[in-house]
Amino acid sequence: LLGLANKAGDFTENDRQVASTFGELAAIALLNRRAFETLQSSEERFRSLAQSASEAMISIDNQGEIVFWNKAATTIFGYEPEEAVGKLLSLIMPERLWSEHLKGVERVVTTGETRLIGGTVEMIGLRKDGGEFPVEISLSTWKIRGESFFSGTIRDITERNQAQSEIQSLAKFPSENLNPVLRVSQDGMILYANEASAPLLDLWACRVGQKLPDGWRQRITDVLNSNESHTVEVHYNQHIFSLDLIPVVETGYINIYGRDITEQRHAQELLEDQNQFITTVIESLNHPFFVIDAKDYTVKMGNSAAFTGSLPENSTCFNLIHGRSTPCDDSGFLCPLEEIKKNGQPVVTEHIHLDDAGNERVNEVHAHPILDEQGVLIQIIEYAFDITERKHLEMALQESEARWRS
């Protein structure tokens, strides 16, 4: 541009095209930067929420590999993020459950059938020390470029199950309990309700000494007949309650222990919204965008501009982008991942990529580290701009300047 500004004589059509091209490049760079900043901000909000949650939040890809692990997951299972991320989810479940888990993941990926998605299920978890314990899991799923990802909000319910197994006649100090505690007879009459049960009584439009609505009376009968505990969610005045119905068959009544899970559900919904937002932002980019595993170079995520169709299984960045069988350390180009491993800082370099027709294109590659809570590199974000035309223009300008100087 300086050369054009100081050029002797009138501007030519070629000069106008060069200046216009520089303007378009600047506009594209600004747009891409804003999109990346939006993505970074969204990721920071998501990580802040997930890391502050009291329940374990774990995400896996469609191969069953863990891609996200929050602080509460470390507290519950004993594994640090660097020990869990990249490992199969079977790491935290007993071996006898592996087969059923893999079948479930495969069913969702191949058929789209989601029997457990959106609901709550009880399973057995496995701690790092080998101890087994009961957990309650709320499941959700989302897709990026046809690849399924799964998230689970996991709660250790050891204490709750112990309380259920003891079948206490009432919760200890029920009148002081901040959560709803009720006792209901086999014919659906409310025998006891503590102060915290007031919202539920309003919902059912009844009081102690009165019977529950017909649908709930049938539910009480079913639980007593099955002699099995049952959990149900109810919504009232923008609040969500989870109610555990515990049968006491020998005396013919049911104890109901409730807890307000409104904030937990809002956090889960926000997590799903964040996942959808991230997917939308990534897909809106008109340049290739990847998330690459720092250990084995496998591509965990990519947008439409990165590749056509579904992401091939276990694809590495050097194979997917360059058609190579080894990383780029001997090709004359800097490997962004290896450079980040050395200095821990974002990297910008140039690579030759092949387009769909097999033609070589010059790309400016930007790579940014993704660190866990301990500052350990677990993945990188990599995106590329095709600068082939810019390179041609630079060469043309250099040749023009050389001719002008001569």
Side-chain angles (χ1 to χ4, degrees):
L1 288 176
L2 288 173
L4 288 173
N6 293 294
K7 177 184 176 183
D10 296 332
F11 287 97
T12 65
E13 176 61 21
N14 183 61
D15 294 335
R16 186 195 66 78
Q17 292 179 355
V18 169
S20 175
T21 300
F22 273 117
E24 291 175 357
L25 289 172
I28 292 172
L30 178 60
L31 177 62
N32 287 331
R33 181 59 186 173
R34 287 175 176 171
F36 181 71
E37 288 174 349
T38 300
L39 179 61
Q40 282 185 315
S41 176
S42 174
E43 181 183 359
E44 289 171 1
R45 290 197 301 271
F46 158 68
R47 288 185 175 274
S48 176
L49 171 67
Q51 294 299 351
S52 63
S54 59
E55 287 90 9
M57 287 188 174
I58 300 173
S59 297
I60 64 171
D61 60 19
N62 61 10
Q63 303 303 314
E65 290 187 4
I66 298 170
V67 297
F68 179 77
W69 181 275
N70 73 346
K71 289 181 180 179
T74 296
T75 301
I76 292 176
F77 293 99
Y79 291 97
E80 296 297 330
E82 61 270 21
E83 297 177 290
V85 173
K87 301 293 179 57
L88 292 175
L89 188 64
S90 56
L91 176 73
I92 58 172
M93 62 177 62
E95 185 174 355
R96 63 183 181 276
L97 302 180
W98 291 359
S99 176
E100 195 65 27
H101 160 67
L102 292 175
K103 289 179 182 177
V105 173
E106 183 179 359
R107 181 179 64 252
V108 175
V109 172
T110 57
T111 70
E113 181 184 352
T114 57
R115 290 185 305 195
L116 302 179
I117 301 302
T120 301
V121 62
E122 290 190 15
M123 295 184 64
I124 300 298
L126 182 68
R127 294 191 180 92
K128 183 178 180 180
D129 61 11
E132 295 186 7
F133 65 106
V135 296
E136 183 178 79
I137 308 176
S138 300
L139 298 171
S140 62
T141 184
W142 74 98
K143 286 189 176 183
I144 295 180
R145 288 295 299 145
E147 183 175 359
S148 298
F149 290 83
F150 307 86
S151 287
T153 302
I154 304 175
R155 182 188 308 109
D156 184 343
I157 58 172
T158 302
E159 293 183 3
R160 190 184 82 185
N161 282 6
Q162 287 174 347
Q164 292 175 356
S165 65
E166 294 170 1
I167 316 180
Q168 299 173 345
S169 62
L170 280 174
K172 189 176 182 180
F173 308 119
S175 62
E176 300 176 7
N177 198 319
L178 298 179
N179 291 314
V181 178
L182 305 95
R183 173 176 285 176
V184 181
S185 66
Q186 60 186 356
D187 62 355
M189 180 177 290
I190 301 175
L191 303 177
Y192 171 85
N194 68 350
E195 186 176 350
S197 302
L200 297 176
L201 298 180
D202 289 341
L203 171 65
W204 295 326
C206 57
R207 293 291 180 265
V208 174
Q210 298 177 342
K211 290 186 177 181
L212 293 171
D214 291 343
W216 276 90
R217 291 204 297 271
Q218 182 60 51
R219 182 170 282 158
I220 296 300
T221 300
D222 293 342
V223 171
L224 280 170
N225 289 340
S226 68
N227 194 22
E228 293 183 356
S229 301
H230 184 67
T231 301
V232 62
E233 289 185 7
V234 297
H235 298 245
Y236 181 68
N237 279 351
Q238 299 182 340
H239 282 267
I240 306 173
F241 294 92
S242 177
L243 305 181
D244 295 325
L245 282 61
I246 313 299
V248 188
V249 177
E250 59 270 23
T251 55
Y253 59 74
I254 280 182
N255 290 334
I256 300 177
Y257 303 98
R259 64 185 184 279
D260 190 329
I261 60 171
T262 307
E263 294 302 320
Q264 174 192 331
R265 281 290 179 268
H266 288 170
Q268 185 176 350
E269 290 171 1
L270 181 56
L271 174 62
E272 293 171 357
D273 289 343
Q274 291 291 341
N275 288 335
Q276 184 58 49
F277 176 75
I278 290 173
T279 299
T280 302
V281 171
I282 291 175
E283 284 300 315
S284 69
L285 301 177
N286 58 5
H287 54 265
F289 181 99
F290 299 93
V291 176
I292 300 171
D293 188 276
K295 292 182 179 179
D296 58 12
Y297 298 88
T298 55
V299 178
K300 296 299 183 184
M301 187 186 304
N303 65 355
S304 303
F307 54 86
T308 303
S310 299
L311 179 66
E313 183 178 352
N314 297 324
S315 295
T316 60
C317 54
F318 49 81
N319 179 262
L320 190 65
I321 301 172
H322 302 287
R324 294 171 50 87
S325 58
T326 58
C328 302
D329 55 353
D330 62 350
S331 63
F333 300 108
L334 292 176
C335 173
L337 175 54
E338 292 302 321
E339 290 300 307
I340 289 178
K341 285 182 178 180
K342 291 178 184 177
N343 55 41
Q345 299 299 316
V347 173
V348 179
T349 184
E350 291 184 5
H351 275 205
I352 299 296
H353 293 180
L354 300 178
D355 61 19
D356 293 339
N359 300 314
E360 291 188 349
R361 307 289 296 182
V362 183
N363 278 260
E364 183 178 87
V365 180
H366 296 246
H368 296 259
I370 299 178
L371 309 177
D372 63 17
E373 291 300 309
Q374 285 69 44
V376 177
L377 178 68
I378 55 174
Q379 295 175 331
I380 69 167
I381 291 174
E382 181 177 307
Y383 56 97
F385 303 108
D386 188 332
I387 60 171
T388 306
E389 300 305 323
R390 191 183 81 189
K391 284 292 186 181
H392 291 167
L393 287 171
E394 288 176 354
M395 293 178 60
L397 285 173
Q398 291 172 357
E399 292 174 357
S400 177
E401 182 181 1
R403 289 195 299 270
W404 178 77
R405 290 183 178 277
S406 62

